[in-house]
Amino acid sequence: MADVGGERARYRRILRFAARYMVQAWWYELFLPRIGFARFSARGRAARLTRLARKFHGLAVSLGGLMIKVGQFLSSRLDVLPPEITRELEGLQDEVPPVDFAAIRALAESELGMPLERAFASVDPVPLAAASLGQAHRARLRPEEADDTGFDGVVVKIQRPGIDQIVAVDLAALRKVAGWLSRVRVVSDRVDLPALMEEFGATSLQEIDYLAEAANAERFAANFAGDARVDVPEVAWERTTRRVLTLSDVTAIKINDVDALRAAGIDPTAVAHEFAAVMFDQLFRDGYFHADPHPGNIFVTPTPGAPGGREWKLTFIDFGMMGEVPERLRKGLQRLIIAVAARDGRQMVDSIRNVGVLLPSADTTELERAMTALFARFGGMGFAELQEVDPREFRAFAVEFGDVVRALPFQLPENFLLIVRAISLTSGMCSSLDPAFNIWDAVEPYAAQLLRDERGNFAQAIGQEVVRAAGITARLPRRLDDAVTRIEEGRLVAESPRLEQRMRSLERTARRIVSAVVFAALFLGGLLLRSDELVWAVVLIVASIPAALHALLAGWASGRGPL
């Protein structure tokens, strides 16, 4: 069990790391560009990101626990994170140092209530894998248990001693960091970080309950029963407790081992597309999904001569982190997938609103225009193609539509964190297997299937559309009459969200210019009076400070708005 002093030191170390790099991000990404040093900031960004990733890598390996989970998530974001970060963190998939076998043996024997020699025919003291929360050892069941289960080769997963206290400390530190970030208005207006941390905390605590993980494995297996694409290890319940989990040994080729796949005659590109399809089925068909699909948790198992001619299958392990998609959210996500496949900006915005990511009060007129422009320019491009696009095009798009996106009130509905995590890891994995992988190609067949599934409701949908059109037609004369009346009375108002945003931006700029002029007047006045009226000089120079701060920092707390 970790001592209290060690827990406090761990807590403070995480907070110091987060605070340091939050201040660095503010300085280089917000303050310097605001005062005209954007090019200087951009010039050193790659080196800064590399140093940050290297430092976090060292912190995660040193501390273990949930820090490893955070690093694994970031290392898999090949699709959106720069290579400076993913390269430095990818080793966290395999680099966790193992716990001494004597400590593992003591915990396992305490949990099972008997010596390991009685519980198993043999146990390999060399770990098969060492993860952030536990480690796995190969073993063989005793003959009587093997007869009952139908298998004798097993993998025994045993928790790291003291992991309960480590997870508690890490969650406390991460909650503190989330509290800091939630004080920044540009973050708090869009994401309820404390609520997300509670969801992450609940998931992390469930992940160290191996009885729950065993039940998750059986539920996942039931969803894919009879599906030749997917395999799941079986549970040896007689040798499973809250801290010890015994599963049939299904070790095979790691999904990201491209050389081993090719040596086995398996095409990595086919694996990427099959993996994406299986993950989409979990998310949008079953509503129950593996939320931690990093390379260490998925094998590709060769199956030569299998019925149906399949030469390999995907084998999932580690069911500690699972997510559920409520029926309403799943239907909304299905509509979103159809909109993305159809490159329909308006339908996509409507779907985002229905899913609950956009608050009902959001004015989405400009967002629809942004999505339409996005699809027109970048729609259909895969990860590799996007890398070839001139960065100036991305910057131009961000300049044109950045204010629109920042001004919208976003929120993340319940369970969305795990959904985003699963999709992100899936996208990153597929890109590593096939650099030319195009997520649109994976989405379109699934969207077509969803449309076919919706055919049963097609007639009903047409009927509803006819009724809606009839209602609009019936109300049209009255609405035209109202419009003419407003024109005659001078009460017709035309709204332009984009124009209003530009006007607000000009007002903010004008206020900052006034502040700069006031600062200059007070400061220079103080300098001129310095030799004759020292007291008044000091008063004027001190009085100039608030004006200087407003001119330089106005808008930082809200991203673009005034303080």
Side-chain angles (χ1 to χ4, degrees):
M1 181 177 294
D3 62 276
V4 174
E7 292 175 5
R8 288 176 179 169
R10 180 186 184 91
Y11 179 80
R12 288 194 296 266
R13 189 174 173 189
I14 294 171
L15 292 189
R16 281 198 303 269
F17 184 91
R20 176 182 177 184
Y21 287 102
M22 285 171 63
V23 169
Q24 184 187 90
W26 171 83
W27 177 261
Y28 283 104
E29 304 302 331
L30 293 174
F31 181 75
L32 290 183
R34 185 176 293 278
I35 61 174
F37 289 95
R39 289 186 179 179
F40 170 79
S41 176
R43 208 162 37 235
R45 184 173 292 124
R48 288 196 305 275
L49 290 175
T50 300
R51 284 196 300 270
L52 168 61
R54 191 172 295 142
K55 291 287 188 182
F56 184 82
H57 186 286
L59 178 78
V61 171
S62 172
L63 294 180
L66 294 184
M67 296 301 102
I68 295 287
K69 288 290 180 185
V70 174
Q72 288 175 340
F73 173 63
L74 296 176
S75 72
S76 298
R77 292 308 314 267
L78 299 174
D79 49 341
V80 296
L81 287 179
E84 293 86 0
I85 288 181
T86 56
R87 272 198 306 265
E88 290 293 332
L89 296 180
E90 63 187 3
L92 286 173
Q93 304 291 355
D94 306 292
E95 201 176 301
V96 184
V99 177
D100 183 72
F101 184 67
I104 289 292
R105 170 191 281 273
L107 189 147
E109 291 181 344
S110 173
E111 283 290 306
L112 296 172
M114 65 181 74
L116 284 185
E117 289 78 10
R118 282 183 52 201
F120 299 96
S122 64
V123 178
D124 187 350
V126 178
L128 173 66
S132 55
L133 306 181
Q135 66 187 47
H137 292 260
R138 275 201 172 97
R140 302 201 79 79
L141 293 176
R142 297 181 70 85
E144 53 271 25
E145 279 87 18
D147 291 340
D148 290 339
T149 60
F151 54 87
D152 65 346
V154 294
V155 171
V156 185
K157 183 176 173 182
I158 305 163
Q159 276 187 16
R160 287 175 172 257
I163 195 64
D164 290 350
Q165 290 78 21
I166 290 173
V167 168
V169 171
D170 289 356
L171 286 176
L174 291 172
R175 287 187 181 106
K176 187 72 171 179
V177 174
W180 290 345
L181 289 171
S182 65
R183 293 194 182 106
V184 181
R185 194 178 304 170
V186 72
V187 176
S188 62
D189 284 351
R190 288 155 179 79
V191 181
D192 187 351
L193 275 179
L196 289 181
M197 272 308 308
E198 290 308 311
E199 183 180 342
F200 178 70
T203 302
S204 300
L205 293 174
Q206 186 181 34
E207 199 169 357
I208 56 176
D209 181 354
Y210 287 171
L211 289 173
E213 180 175 343
N216 291 342
E218 292 199 335
R219 178 178 174 184
F220 187 88
N223 285 346
F224 285 96
D227 190 329
R229 301 174 301 168
V230 177
D231 193 22
V232 179
E234 296 183 57
V235 181
W237 284 101
E238 292 297 318
R239 294 293 178 261
T240 295
T241 71
R242 196 179 77 83
R243 296 182 177 180
V244 176
L245 174 61
T246 304
L247 301 166
S248 59
D249 188 355
V250 292
T251 309
I253 304 170
K254 282 184 65 172
I255 190 170
N256 66 338
D257 191 342
V258 174
D259 292 337
L261 290 174
R262 290 188 175 128
I266 299 171
D267 181 9
T269 299
V271 173
H273 287 273
E274 192 81 283
F275 176 60
V278 168
M279 290 303 299
F280 277 139
D281 281 345
Q282 294 173 47
L283 285 160
F284 306 118
R285 182 195 69 189
D286 303 332
Y288 185 70
F289 61 95
H290 197 301
D292 196 22
H294 67 73
N297 287 340
I298 302 154
F299 297 118
V300 178
T301 305
T303 57
R310 288 197 62 86
E311 295 296 319
W312 53 271
K313 59 186 174 183
L314 295 168
T315 301
F316 286 76
I317 63 170
D318 194 348
F319 300 92
M321 187 181 292
M322 304 296 290
E324 294 195 56
V325 188
E327 180 66 23
R328 181 175 176 275
L329 181 57
R330 185 160 75 253
K331 291 293 185 184
L333 290 173
Q334 289 175 348
R335 296 287 184 185
L336 180 60
I337 286 291
I338 292 172
V340 170
R343 319 288 200 270
D344 188 331
R346 168 171 285 187
Q347 186 181 343
M348 185 175 179
V349 172
D350 289 341
S351 301
I352 292 172
R353 190 198 294 274
N354 292 336
V355 165
V357 175
L358 276 177
L359 293 176
S361 60
D363 184 350
T364 57
T365 304
E366 286 294 297
L367 183 59
E368 288 177 12
R369 192 169 74 85
M371 290 296 100
T372 300
L374 178 69
F375 283 134
R377 176 61 187 92
F378 305 115
M381 288 188 177
F383 176 53
E385 292 173 293
L386 287 172
Q387 288 184 312
E388 300 299 321
V389 175
D390 189 335
R392 287 175 295 185
E393 289 196 49
F394 291 122
R395 284 197 292 271
F397 187 88
V399 168
E400 185 175 1
F401 296 109
D403 286 342
V404 174
V405 176
R406 280 192 291 269
L408 288 170
F410 287 99
Q411 67 176 4
L412 293 181
E414 186 181 359
N415 299 316
F416 216 72
L417 180 64
L418 291 181
I419 294 171
V420 170
R421 173 185 172 85
I423 293 176
S424 299
L425 289 171
T426 300
S427 178
M429 176 77 75
C430 292
S431 296
S432 69
L433 287 168
D434 176 16
F437 177 79
N438 190 330
I439 193 67
W440 308 96
D441 293 340
V443 165
E444 285 178 334
Y446 190 82
Q449 180 61 46
L450 288 176
L451 287 171
R452 286 193 293 271
D453 293 343
E454 291 288 321
R455 281 178 180 171
N457 298 323
F458 183 71
Q460 180 182 355
I462 290 295
Q464 290 174 346
E465 196 67 23
V466 170
V467 171
R468 189 173 70 87
I472 292 173
T473 303
R475 293 191 298 271
L476 188 58
R478 175 65 177 271
R479 295 179 71 179
L480 287 173
D481 183 62
D482 288 345
V484 171
T485 302
R486 289 188 181 191
I487 292 173
E488 291 173 347
E489 295 176 357
R491 294 188 293 111
L492 187 65
V493 178
E495 294 184 0
S496 175
R498 188 169 181 80
L499 180 60
E500 291 171 3
Q501 290 169 1
R502 293 299 183 197
M503 290 299 295
R504 286 196 296 271
S505 178
L506 288 173
E507 289 171 4
R508 288 195 294 269
T509 302
R511 285 197 293 270
R512 292 176 62 200
I513 291 172
V514 170
S515 294
V517 171
V518 170
F519 160 71
L522 293 174
F523 187 76
L524 293 174
L527 292 179
L528 293 173
L529 288 174
R530 184 176 53 186
S531 58
D532 300 324
E533 299 285 347
L534 183 59
V535 174
W536 280 107
V538 171
V539 169
L540 290 175
I541 290 173
V542 171
S544 72
I545 293 175
L549 292 174
H550 183 267
L552 290 174
L553 304 179
W556 174 75
S558 61
R560 297 288 292 184
L563 289 173

